[in-house]
């Protein structure tokens, strides 16, 4: 997995997502997850000051890995942004320039694409021969050699959901839905489709 200089926040998030995509996470069926977790939809706020070229981005508590202010200060320095401030509700306020924000998004994009490549080459998903996505990671298409998904392959949608949610969270526009389709390589037929908005995880 390609590492970036965002050691505390981005690397932690991407590492957790890569573990899921490589089959090291919970292998329960998505339909077996609880409805309670589905109700906890992430919310982020972004404010862009065009005059000062400053971006303020609020990331919810569940994306912060219980980070302390000291850790966030260290992360801000390593990321080269102005500040990350822990809020009373456990969320974190990122303050950075527009250029720094774009660099952060670029790092996340690169790591997600690298993780998709790792996933495609993993023995856990040996039937997956290609994975494509749209620009903002809200749509994923997986080409598979089989007409039926096994348990791990079905659970892989969780990784795609998290990739899309994470990217859009840092983009400042949380996605209402992440759509995943599995297409049979030989026939082009739809094997399975899933939507995060219908997920029970």
């Amino acid at each position: 997995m390609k590492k970036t200089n965002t050691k505390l926040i981005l690397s932690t998030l991407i590492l957790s997502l890569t573990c899921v995509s490589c089959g090291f996470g919970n292998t329960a069926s998505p339909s077996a997850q609880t409805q309670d977790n589905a109700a906890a939809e992430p919310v982020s706020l972004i404010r862009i000051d065009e005059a000062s070229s400053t971006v303020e981005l609020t990331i919810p508590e569940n994306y912060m890995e219980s980070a302390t202010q000291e850790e966030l200060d260290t992360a801000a320095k390593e990321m080269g942004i102005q500040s990350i401030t822990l809020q009373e509700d456990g969320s974190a306020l990122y303050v950075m320039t527009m250029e720094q924000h774009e660099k952060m998004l670029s790092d996340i994009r690169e790591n997600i694409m690298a993780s998709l490549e790792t996933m495609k080459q993993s023995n856990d998903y040996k039937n997956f021969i290609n994975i494509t996505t749209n620009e903002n990671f809200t749509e994923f298409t997986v080409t598979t050699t089989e007409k039926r998904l096994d348990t791990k392959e079905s659970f892989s949608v969780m990784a795609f959901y998290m990739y899309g949610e994470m990217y859009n969270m840092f983009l400042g526009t949380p996605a209402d839905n992440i759509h995943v389709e599995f297409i049979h390589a030989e026939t082009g037929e739809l094997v399975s489709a899933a939507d995060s908005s219908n997920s029970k995880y």
Side-chain angles (χ1 to χ4, degrees), residues 14 32 50 58 67 83 89 99 106 112 125 130 138 140 147-148 155 161 165 191 196:
I14 292 164
E50 297 284 354
T58 301
S83 64
D89 62 359
E99 183 179 358
S106 177
I112 291 176
Y125 307 107
N130 196 30
T138 57
F140 292 85
K147 293 186 177 181
R148 178 175 295 181
F155 187 72
Y161 292 166
E165 288 177 2
V191 174
S196 63

Side-chain angles (χ1 to χ4, degrees), residues 17-195:
L17 297 180
T18 303
C19 286
V20 172
S21 71
C22 292
F24 298 118
N26 178 8
T27 56
S29 169
S31 62
Q33 306 301 316
T34 65
Q35 184 66 41
D36 290 340
N37 287 338
E41 296 182 358
V43 177
S44 71
L45 300 174
I46 188 169
R47 188 176 71 85
I48 300 176
D49 187 334
E50 297 284 354
S52 62
S53 298
T54 299
V55 175
E56 293 185 358
L57 182 66
T58 301
I59 302 298
E61 176 186 9
N62 57 315
Y63 278 75
M64 288 299 101
E65 299 289 330
S66 301
T68 66
Q69 184 58 59
E70 182 179 1
E71 291 172 328
L72 294 177
D73 289 340
T74 299
K77 290 180 180 179
E78 292 177 344
M79 296 164 67
I81 66 175
Q82 295 176 20
S83 64
I84 308 175
T85 304
L86 192 63
Q87 307 293 291
E88 290 185 2
D89 62 359
S91 64
L93 177 64
Y94 284 59
V95 179
M96 67 198 86
T97 65
M98 292 181 182
E99 183 179 358
Q100 290 166 345
H101 184 228
E102 182 53 43
K103 175 62 166 60
M104 175 188 291
L105 293 175
S106 177
D107 286 344
I108 296 176
R109 284 194 295 267
E110 288 182 11
N111 278 277
I112 291 176
M113 295 306 296
S115 295
L116 293 179
E117 188 64 25
T118 297
M119 188 177 187
K120 188 174 66 175
Q121 297 175 5
S122 169
N123 288 331
D124 291 303
Y125 307 107
K126 58 185 178 181
N127 296 320
F128 292 177
I129 60 176
N130 196 30
I131 303 173
T132 60
T133 182
N134 63 347
E135 185 176 358
N136 64 345
F137 301 103
T138 57
E139 297 179 5
F140 292 85
T141 301
V142 182
T143 305
T144 176
T145 58
E146 295 296 321
K147 293 186 177 181
R148 178 175 295 181
L149 304 179
D150 64 25
T151 301
K152 282 188 176 181
E153 291 170 345
S154 296
F155 187 72
S156 69
V157 298
M158 304 296 287
F160 301 125
Y161 292 166
M162 287 188 287
Y163 290 145
E165 288 177 2
M166 180 184 69
Y167 179 77
N168 285 279
M169 187 63 56
F170 281 92
L171 185 62
T173 55
D176 293 330
N177 183 55
I178 308 299
H179 180 70
V180 184
E181 291 188 350
F182 297 87
I183 304 296
H184 187 248
E186 184 175 346
T187 66
E189 295 177 352
L190 179 67
V191 174
S192 179
D195 291 279

